[in-house]
Amino acid sequence: MPLHTKLPEELKEADVIIAGGGLAGCVVASRLAEADRNLVILVIEQGPNNYGMPDVVHPALYPRNLFPSSNITLFWQTRKSPQLADRSPIVPSGGTLGGGSAMNWMVYTRGQRSDFDSWKTEGWSADDLIPFLKKLETYHGKGDKDRHGFDGPVNVSKGTHTCSRAEDAFVEAAAKLGYPESHDLQNLDENNAIERYYRYVGLNGRRQDAAHRYLHPKLQSGDYPNLHVLVEKQVLKILFDGQKRAHGVVYQTNPKWLANPEYLATAYTAQRQVHARKLVVVSAGANGTPGILERSGVGDAKILEKAGIDVLEDLPGVGADYQDHHLTLWSYRTNLTPQETINGYQDGRFDLEARIRNNDELLGTNGMDAQGKFRPTETEVEALGPEFKKAWDRDFKDAPNKPLMILALYTCYYGDHSVLPDDAEYVSQANWTAYPYSRGHVHVTGPSMHHPVDFDTGWLTDEGDVDVKKHIWAYKVSREMWRRMPIFRGELAATHPRFPEGSKAAVIEKADGPVMMADDERIEYSAEDDKAIDQRVREILSTTWHSLGTCKMAPRDRKGVVDGDLSVHGVRGLKVADLSVPPENVGANTGNTAFLIGEKAADIFGKELGLSKEEASLSQPRL
């Protein structure tokens, strides 16, 4: 099998080198291999081979990928921020073959039509991209048949378990507040509604990550001898010739995978080169791709000079305009049973080996059965103040396709289970902003991999504090929903705002059932209550793992890094294909957009390389 931890001596060059074996990189490699089996393709991934890893293939185990001990997750330390109660958030990203698709929450959501159209790039409109959205998936849902695909490599289904009581409770409570259930919230046009969600999980309960669905079947078939994957190796930089044409990469062993930690210094000095005859593609993600470009001399000249790196191409957009969908998690007490949540896999109650051996159906869920794309009413907009209304009127009022926030119920408690006040099943309400105004950056500080990254998320730094106001509104809406749910048994005080004494919005720690029944009844909040919510948002705001936009597809004079063909401005033979390229955000979990970018990129690259399209002889297994 052409999967290596050491590059074979005879493989000194390839036709195409893909720096990063994440989600989009796997797609690009697979599709190019299908188009021409004589094309020599080399994928270089800094993390391990993910094939068959329990924490990858079993969906219910995904919270374990947030454990600091995880070997398949990268944890990016950020700057301390006064807007975040002087915290230094940590942003995870995929650290294994398959990238984010191998360790994320597996939520199947597509962007909106207006999202793709907002990219204002020829060939990237929603109508242009629908064929690629269909191409990647085998859809097992009930949505619009003309908007979905039915023979792609990635299965979209409910998996092997649905917590129907939680799903029904969420959908019915939202309906009471005016948010109806949608037939297909992922058709690019539906909005301001709830859906019983599908996920990137096969009918057999296995995760549908890009490595297992695109790459591994080809690597194991023996039919693609020219498709090579090198794991546990970090790409340091791109090699260029005198005409600024990319012709290879410099890489080194990832010290994380050295047999002896004393060899750390050796890893950083024992650099190797491999050459590309035709093309180099960088696909290291929105957090990793800027570093590869900058260490190669492509980036903002001022930043490169400060880092001691010779400037090859002054491109100020590299590493700029970082975005993430800001997340707040609020925990609730329920009357759900242990077999209705996935908490037992995190807190040690379940015998993991026995459940895997017995193929427990609960392993085949991500714990997220219902979610919605939400917009406020005009009355609610007015109540959020003039700064918010100004932003709303400019960017949302006349754009009904755009959700303000996305709200979801997860049947899992994300926190320290040992400090929970009782043995009830606590679960999480996830609220995140679809189109953040805040921007950050990610840059190198030196020419070596051991130099720290200058990473500032920029969360809640927007003018007028509009982003935090979004979370205040979403907290109130989701809390109204929760207090109407049949599964409601209280609020976990430790995760909620510290409301002032005597507040009508005070936390209810325990209840015998729903406490609000009338459709027109609402929790009353004072100005002091709003301040308490604001403070708590700043204390707990976190990441959705949706890093995006750091090498955006736009003209150079708009801080663009790549053009519509994903070619890096100012150099030749170098492409970028990952979530660093979207110039504007999407109102959805970004996994689908990463799959889409991979499919579109492979089509672009294949045409430029003059490849004849052949149907792969290896049929994808239908799960």
Side-chain angles (χ1 to χ4, degrees):
M1 183 174 73
L3 195 151
H4 322 282
T5 55
K6 179 182 179 181
L7 204 61
E9 285 296 323
E10 65 273 16
L11 193 63
K12 296 183 182 300
E13 62 180 7
D15 292 313
V16 178
I17 295 176
I18 301 173
L23 197 165
C26 287
V27 175
V28 170
S30 173
R31 293 304 194 190
L32 292 181
E34 288 176 7
D36 186 351
R37 299 191 190 196
N38 293 316
L39 193 73
V40 180
I41 301 167
L42 173 62
V43 179
I44 304 178
E45 165 56 36
Q46 61 83 39
N49 174 17
N50 75 340
Y51 184 74
M53 285 185 175
D55 288 358
V56 172
V57 299
H58 298 296
L61 304 186
Y62 77 90
R64 294 156 57 98
N65 297 326
L66 283 175
F67 291 1
S69 58
S70 173
N71 284 325
I72 63 172
T73 302
L74 300 175
F75 297 99
W76 300 81
Q77 184 70 58
T78 69
R79 284 185 180 184
K80 182 179 290 187
S81 169
Q83 288 83 8
L84 304 175
D86 289 328
R87 293 182 298 124
S88 301
I90 294 174
V91 176
S93 68
T96 184
L97 199 62
S101 68
M103 39 70 77
N104 65 11
W105 296 15
M106 295 158 285
V107 181
Y108 172 73
T109 57
R110 288 167 160 182
Q112 302 296 95
R113 180 179 298 276
S114 60
D115 296 341
F116 304 120
D117 291 345
S118 75
W119 294 1
K120 294 181 171 58
T121 303
E122 185 177 354
W124 291 83
S125 71
D127 287 341
D128 293 321
L129 296 176
I130 285 176
F132 297 101
L133 289 169
K134 296 169 71 172
K135 182 180 181 179
L136 69 91
E137 66 184 27
T138 292
Y139 180 72
H140 299 279
K142 299 178 181 179
D144 299 328
K145 300 302 181 185
D146 63 332
R147 301 292 181 92
H148 295 280
F150 299 93
D151 56 2
V154 180
N155 288 271
V156 177
S157 81
K158 296 290 278 186
T160 54
H161 176 86
T162 297
C163 181
S164 297
R165 287 206 297 144
E167 180 183 71
D168 290 344
F170 191 85
V171 171
E172 292 165 8
K176 290 179 181 179
L177 298 180
Y179 299 97
E181 182 176 352
S182 171
H183 170 69
D184 185 1
L185 197 53
Q186 309 314 321
N187 64 13
L188 277 66
D189 294 304
E190 287 290 302
N191 190 26
N192 212 29
I194 300 293
E195 186 177 44
R196 298 172 189 268
Y197 263 56
Y198 295 89
R199 32 193 171 245
Y200 290 115
V201 178
L203 295 178
N204 65 347
R206 297 297 183 265
R207 178 191 286 269
Q208 302 290 286
D209 65 280
H212 280 88
R213 301 308 301 160
Y214 282 87
L215 270 190
H216 288 309
K218 290 181 173 60
L219 294 173
Q220 295 175 359
S221 70
D223 295 332
Y224 296 86
N226 292 317
L227 174 60
H228 297 268
V229 177
L230 178 64
V231 295
E232 301 175 10
K233 299 292 183 285
Q234 299 168 315
V235 173
L236 176 68
K237 62 183 179 180
I238 312 300
L239 293 169
F240 291 93
D241 64 19
Q243 285 71 48
K244 294 187 180 182
R245 181 175 185 84
H247 66 89
V249 301
V250 177
Y251 72 92
Q252 61 194 26
T253 296
N254 186 341
K256 187 176 183 178
W257 300 103
L258 287 174
N260 188 332
E262 292 185 0
Y263 296 157
L264 178 64
T266 304
Y268 285 130
T269 57
Q271 297 172 2
R272 301 169 179 85
Q273 296 183 7
V274 60
H275 294 275
R277 289 183 286 263
K278 297 182 177 182
L279 191 65
V280 176
V281 181
V282 183
S283 187
N287 293 350
T289 288
I292 293 177
L293 295 182
E294 289 178 335
R295 288 190 297 271
S296 308
V298 179
D300 188 322
K302 295 178 181 177
I303 291 171
L304 298 184
E305 290 166 0
K306 185 177 179 180
I309 298 171
D310 292 336
V311 179
L312 177 76
E313 184 67 21
D314 184 7
L315 206 53
V318 174
D321 290 339
Y322 172 86
Q323 297 185 54
D324 188 7
H325 291 137
H326 316 152
L327 171 74
T328 50
L329 287 169
W330 314 94
S331 297
Y332 289 85
R333 188 174 185 269
T334 73
N335 68 344
L336 296 175
T337 67
Q339 193 60 23
E340 290 179 293
T341 80
I342 58 175
N343 286 326
Y345 288 117
Q346 279 62 251
D347 63 16
R349 280 179 288 162
F350 292 169
D351 183 334
L352 179 56
E353 291 184 2
R355 290 200 171 225
I356 291 176
R357 188 167 57 249
N358 295 326
N359 203 24
D360 176 23
E361 69 168 27
L362 195 58
L363 283 167
T365 180
N366 64 352
M368 203 285 287
D369 299 302
Q371 180 172 292
K373 299 183 178 184
F374 287 71
R375 286 166 62 92
T377 65
E378 284 300 318
T379 300
E380 290 169 331
V381 168
E382 293 285 348
L384 287 166
E387 293 291 341
F388 183 90
K389 187 178 188 307
K390 179 182 177 182
W392 175 265
D393 289 348
R394 182 187 64 232
D395 298 325
F396 290 91
K397 185 175 182 178
D398 297 323
N401 193 235
K402 296 178 66 172
L404 182 73
M405 297 288 290
I406 297 181
L407 278 60
L409 188 163
Y410 283 86
T411 53
C412 178
Y413 172 62
Y414 301 102
D416 184 355
H417 290 255
S418 69
V419 299
L420 290 174
D422 52 48
D423 60 0
E425 293 296 322
Y426 288 84
V427 301
S428 300
Q429 172 65 40
N431 301 340
W432 47 273
T433 181
Y435 308 99
Y437 288 115
S438 306
R439 296 291 185 271
H441 67 253
V442 54
H443 295 299
V444 300
T445 61
S448 171
M449 294 289 288
H450 77 268
H451 287 102
V453 176
D454 174 18
F455 184 17
D456 185 353
T457 64
W459 297 340
L460 304 186
T461 58
D462 61 300
E463 185 178 354
D465 287 335
V466 175
D467 280 344
V468 77
K469 290 181 173 69
K470 297 173 187 175
H471 280 278
I472 294 172
W473 172 77
Y475 174 72
K476 292 179 179 180
V477 171
S478 58
R479 203 174 184 215
E480 294 286 351
M481 291 170 56
W482 266 98
R483 289 193 175 189
R484 287 169 168 78
M485 294 186 200
I487 63 173
F488 178 81
R489 291 299 182 271
E491 299 160 337
L492 182 61
T495 69
H496 285 258
R498 294 176 293 276
F499 294 110
E501 187 175 351
S503 169
K504 294 181 179 180
V507 168
I508 298 175
E509 295 192 56
K510 288 189 177 182
D512 295 327
V515 296
M516 298 180 70
M517 304 302 293
D519 291 353
D520 59 351
E521 183 183 3
R522 295 291 185 272
I523 303 170
E524 293 184 39
Y525 294 92
S526 67
E528 292 302 312
D529 293 331
D530 285 349
K531 290 179 181 179
I533 302 173
D534 181 302
Q535 178 63 25
R536 195 62 179 141
V537 167
R538 296 179 185 280
E539 292 170 349
I540 69 171
L541 192 86
S542 186
T543 177
T544 50
W545 317 12
H546 296 171
S547 298
L548 175 145
T550 52
C551 295
K552 66 185 180 183
M553 181 169 56
R556 291 183 69 135
D557 59 5
R558 299 211 318 263
K559 295 176 71 175
V561 175
V562 300
D563 62 18
D565 291 327
L566 303 179
S567 297
V568 177
H569 293 308
V571 298
R572 301 166 58 206
L574 180 62
K575 304 281 191 175
V576 174
D578 55 31
L579 282 173
S580 68
V581 304
E584 301 291 342
N585 224 312
V586 294
N589 299 68
T590 51
N592 183 265
T593 302
F595 275 118
L596 170 65
I597 290 169
E599 291 282 9
K600 175 69 173 177
D603 183 71
I604 292 171
F605 304 163
K607 289 175 179 176
E608 290 186 1
L609 292 168
L611 306 183
S612 58
K613 175 63 181 173
E614 300 175 0
E615 290 297 325
S617 63
L618 177 66
S619 61
Q620 296 290 346
R622 189 68 61 86
L623 299 181

